[in-house]
């Protein structure tokens, strides 16, 4: 079963010589004077070149394929040139006596300080593969990591099937180890909650698992409220307080990914010692993800309201600019009359009324624009979305706690006051409520509302300034 990880073609490739690059060719197939002295002891040209291929292949691959003559031609040619031998002599290497190749490999390994796989403490490799399996579940990746480990320990790689069997054993052991590390969290009550995630609920027409892993499609008040409901549900299950630090971060991510990928039916079919760690890590990860989603959606929805206010502001400023152009044109006709010292003062008014016409003068006077506040009226227009923002902002403030440094203290205090106002239904902002966090361009709104005794207006503007 272990070999099912790879196709027959892939298994054959793992047993054979791969293609070789230029850097590998230079690094591994360059002989030293000591290497040449060692190889000359084999006497016959074909055994010298054959042993040379094994000498260079072992550090390169960590093992030597059975068909030594099938080594990359570039590698064989490079060795042949260094040894002064024709490449053709390698063709018959090991053909007459299979033991020759094995004996040569044993001598090469002794010369290089390598060991046979059976000489390696089995516990060492098993522990290494288990540690990696706790981080990565991919059989092919674990196989490659096992090969790298053996090569770094100068141990000749065993057969592909043998190593794959060890990988399979390590994956099974990793599942047992995972369950053992989280077993203390799997109380009877929590297990019922985890298994309840897989049950189809009529009101949802789905399972809680699908509900949790299905994200919103757009930023809107309903999406924000939906994510807040998920957050509350997760907290009721204690997901936000789960301590899974006993598991490697990679293992937690892997298990959470499985939980998202598998259907509830597939998870139900898994044994409890495999199912519950998956659901546990998914629950803990969802608590983080949903909180991030709430904050992100809150920001996006609030930004949408602010963006719409800016569009309205742009249109209003454009219209104001048109009116200003008309008044400016009128001023350009008035100024020459006022600046003409030849016109008696008592005639100026009569002349302007006759020249401009009273209708035009009255229209210009009626269209006189009020001086804009520092933000050109942005907060006033944003106040038009106050009811819209109130659809979701109180729910977010109820579910999320914000913190900050010393500079953010007034804002954090204001958020707590606003949360209390929402909870009690009180309308007026306390007189001692902080306002230091309010941007300078918006403080005029609060001052004006306070001066008029407009408690409702003050509440609106103060609240619109508080969302973080």
């Amino acid at each position: 079963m272990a070999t099912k990880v790879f196709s027959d073609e892939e298994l054959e490739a793992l047993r054979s010589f791969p293609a070789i690059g230029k850097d590998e060719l230079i690094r591994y197939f360059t002989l030293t004077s000591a290497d040449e002295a060692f190889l000359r002891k084999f006497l016959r040209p074909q055994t010298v070149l054959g042993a040379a291929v094994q000498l260079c292949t072992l550090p390169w691959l960590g093992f030597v394929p059975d068909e030594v003559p099938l080594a990359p031609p570039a590698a064989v040619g490079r060795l042949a040139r260094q040894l002064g031998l024709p490449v053709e002599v390698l063709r018959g290497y090991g053909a007459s006596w299979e033991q020759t190749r094995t004996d040569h490999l044993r001598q090469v390994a002794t010369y290089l300080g390598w060991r046979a796989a059976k000489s390696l403490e089995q516990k060492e490799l098993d522990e290494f593969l288990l540690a990696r399996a706790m981080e990565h579940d991919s059989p092919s990746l674990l196989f490659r990591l096992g090969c790298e480990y053996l090569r770094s320990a100068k141990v000749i790689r065993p057969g592909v099937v043998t190593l794959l069997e060890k990988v399979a054993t390590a994956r099974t052991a990793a599942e047992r180890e995972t369950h053992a590390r989280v077993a203390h969290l799997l109380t009877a009550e929590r297990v019922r909650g985890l298994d309840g995630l897989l049950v189809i609920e009529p009101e949802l027409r789905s399972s809680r698992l699908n509900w949790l892993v299905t994200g919103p499609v757009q930023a809107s008040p309903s999406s924000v409220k939906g994510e807040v409901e998920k957050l509350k549900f997760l907290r009721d299950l204690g997901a936000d307080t789960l301590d899974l630090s006993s598991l490697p971060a990679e293992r937690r991510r892997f298990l959470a990914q499985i939980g998202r990928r598998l259907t509830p039916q597939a998870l139900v079919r898994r044994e409890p010692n495999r199912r519950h760690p998956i659901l546990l890590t998914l629950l803990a990860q969802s608590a983080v993800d949903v909180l991030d989603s709430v904050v992100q959606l809150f920001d996006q929805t609030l930004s949408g309201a602010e963006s719409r206010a800016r569009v309205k502001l742009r249109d209003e400023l454009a219209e104001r600019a048109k009116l200003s152009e008309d008044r400016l044109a009128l001023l350009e006709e008035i100024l020459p009359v006022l600046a003409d010292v030849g016109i008696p003062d008592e005639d100026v008014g009569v002349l302007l009324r006759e020249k401009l016409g009273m209708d035009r003068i009255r229209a210009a006077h009626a269209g006189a624009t009020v001086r804009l506040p520092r933000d050109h009226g942005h907060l006033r227009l944003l106040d038009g979305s106050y009811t819209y923002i109130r659809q979701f902002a109180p729910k977010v403030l109820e579910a999320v706690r914000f913190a900050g440094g010393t500079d953010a203290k007034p804002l954090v205090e204001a958020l707590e006051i606003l949360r209390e106002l929402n909870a009690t239904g009180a309308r007026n902002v306390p007189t001692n409520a902080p306002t230091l966090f309010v941007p300078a361009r918006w403080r005029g709104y609060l001052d004006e509302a306070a001066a008029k005794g407009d408690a409702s207006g003050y509440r609106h503007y103060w609240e619109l300034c508080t969302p973080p």
Side-chain angles (χ1 to χ4, degrees):
M1 290 297 293
T3 58
K4 296 302 181 181
V5 172
F6 299 106
S7 65
D8 292 340
E9 293 77 10
E10 290 171 327
L11 285 173
E12 183 59 32
L14 292 172
R15 298 186 179 106
S16 307
F17 285 97
I20 189 169
K22 182 178 180 181
D23 292 342
E24 293 175 315
L25 187 66
I26 296 172
R27 178 180 178 184
Y28 293 106
F29 288 83
T30 300
L31 300 173
T32 65
S33 55
D35 294 338
E36 291 193 34
F38 166 75
L39 292 170
R40 296 297 181 186
K41 296 178 182 180
F42 291 94
L43 302 177
R44 297 174 60 193
Q46 69 177 25
T47 57
V48 171
L49 187 54
V53 172
Q54 296 206 68
L55 176 70
C56 297
T57 299
L58 185 56
W60 174 37
L61 300 180
F63 75 105
V64 179
D66 293 340
E67 299 295 331
V68 175
L70 297 181
V76 176
R78 182 177 176 82
L79 292 176
R81 288 192 297 273
Q82 294 176 77
L83 295 169
L85 297 172
V87 296
E88 293 81 6
V89 300
L90 186 63
R91 293 175 182 172
Y93 178 71
S96 58
W97 187 28
E98 181 65 24
Q99 191 64 31
T100 299
R101 185 189 63 80
T102 304
D103 289 343
H104 290 175
L105 178 58
R106 187 178 298 111
Q107 294 179 59
V108 164
T110 301
Y111 169 73
L112 293 175
W114 281 59
R115 296 176 289 163
K118 61 182 179 181
S119 67
L120 176 69
E121 287 288 341
Q122 294 298 318
K123 185 178 179 182
E124 295 177 34
L125 180 57
D126 292 342
E127 288 180 348
F128 172 82
L129 288 174
L130 173 59
R132 300 291 77 77
M134 288 295 292
E135 301 171 348
H136 313 283
D137 192 70
S138 168
S140 57
L141 177 58
L142 290 173
F143 180 87
R144 180 171 61 81
L145 292 174
C147 291
E148 293 176 357
Y149 172 77
L150 291 170
R151 187 166 56 181
S152 66
K154 288 191 174 183
V155 174
I156 301 174
R157 192 199 78 184
V160 174
V161 174
T162 300
L163 187 52
L164 281 175
E165 288 175 345
K166 285 189 169 294
V167 167
T169 300
R171 294 178 69 206
T172 301
E175 290 181 349
R176 291 196 299 268
E177 178 67 17
T178 297
H179 184 269
R181 294 189 186 188
V182 300
H184 65 286
L185 299 172
L186 295 171
T187 61
E189 181 181 356
R190 177 161 282 146
V191 166
R192 284 194 297 271
L194 293 175
D195 288 337
L197 295 174
L198 308 179
V199 177
I200 302 297
E201 296 195 8
E203 64 273 18
L204 293 177
R205 298 182 180 180
S206 177
S207 66
R208 286 286 178 181
L209 176 64
N210 287 335
W211 176 63
L212 284 174
V213 300
T214 302
V217 293
Q218 64 179 359
S220 66
S222 60
S223 296
V224 176
K225 288 186 285 188
E227 292 301 286
V228 169
E229 288 178 9
K230 291 181 185 178
L231 190 61
K232 291 179 178 178
F233 173 78
L234 289 165
R235 287 174 176 174
D236 288 341
L237 291 178
D240 57 323
T241 59
L242 283 174
D243 182 7
L244 297 179
S245 57
S246 59
L247 296 178
E250 294 82 358
R251 187 70 177 178
R252 298 197 299 269
R253 282 194 291 270
F254 164 71
L255 292 176
Q257 287 173 356
I258 290 181
R260 292 189 182 91
R261 187 175 69 247
L262 295 181
T263 64
Q265 294 80 2
L267 285 168
V268 167
R269 289 193 294 268
R270 293 206 169 198
E271 297 176 358
N273 65 333
R274 299 177 64 195
R275 177 174 72 247
H276 292 148
I278 291 173
L279 293 174
L280 203 61
T281 52
L282 176 60
L283 208 63
Q285 186 60 50
S286 295
V288 176
D289 293 343
V290 172
L291 177 59
D292 290 343
S293 178
V294 167
V295 174
Q296 183 179 16
L297 283 173
F298 176 66
D299 180 66
Q300 291 176 348
T301 309
L302 196 61
S303 297
E306 186 174 3
S307 178
R308 289 189 291 274
R310 288 190 180 278
V311 171
K312 291 180 181 179
L313 177 61
R314 182 192 63 196
D315 293 341
E316 286 193 7
L317 291 177
E319 187 62 30
R320 182 185 178 95
K322 292 178 183 179
L323 294 175
S324 296
E325 285 294 323
D326 294 338
R327 291 171 62 81
L328 183 59
L330 186 64
L331 182 62
E332 289 177 350
E333 294 185 47
I334 292 174
L335 288 177
V337 176
L338 295 176
D340 189 348
V341 295
I343 301 175
D345 293 344
E346 60 274 15
D347 296 337
V348 169
V350 176
L351 183 60
L352 287 175
R353 291 189 187 97
E354 292 176 352
K355 180 179 181 181
L356 302 177
M358 287 302 297
D359 291 341
R360 188 179 176 192
I361 294 174
R362 289 192 182 97
H365 178 67
T369 53
V370 180
R371 186 173 181 83
L372 291 176
R374 294 182 64 175
D375 70 339
H376 296 157
H378 180 214
L379 186 59
R380 173 182 56 79
L381 292 172
L382 184 59
D383 185 41
S385 300
Y386 179 79
T387 303
Y388 172 82
I389 294 173
R390 288 284 300 176
Q391 292 181 42
F392 60 90
K395 293 185 178 296
V396 174
L397 293 179
E398 179 186 355
V400 181
R401 293 294 184 269
F402 297 91
T406 304
D407 292 342
K409 185 177 179 180
L411 177 56
V412 173
E413 182 181 348
L415 290 171
E416 290 297 329
I417 293 174
L418 182 55
R419 188 177 292 112
E420 181 66 20
L421 291 175
N422 292 333
T424 60
R427 297 183 178 181
N428 296 344
V429 178
T431 55
N432 61 343
T435 58
L436 290 176
F437 61 89
V438 178
R441 67 182 185 280
W442 286 350
R443 286 180 185 170
Y445 291 92
L446 296 179
D447 294 340
E448 183 179 353
K452 292 179 178 179
D454 183 3
S456 177
Y458 189 93
R459 164 70 183 268
H460 281 210
Y461 291 132
W462 184 83
E463 185 172 346
L464 289 170
C465 293
T466 43

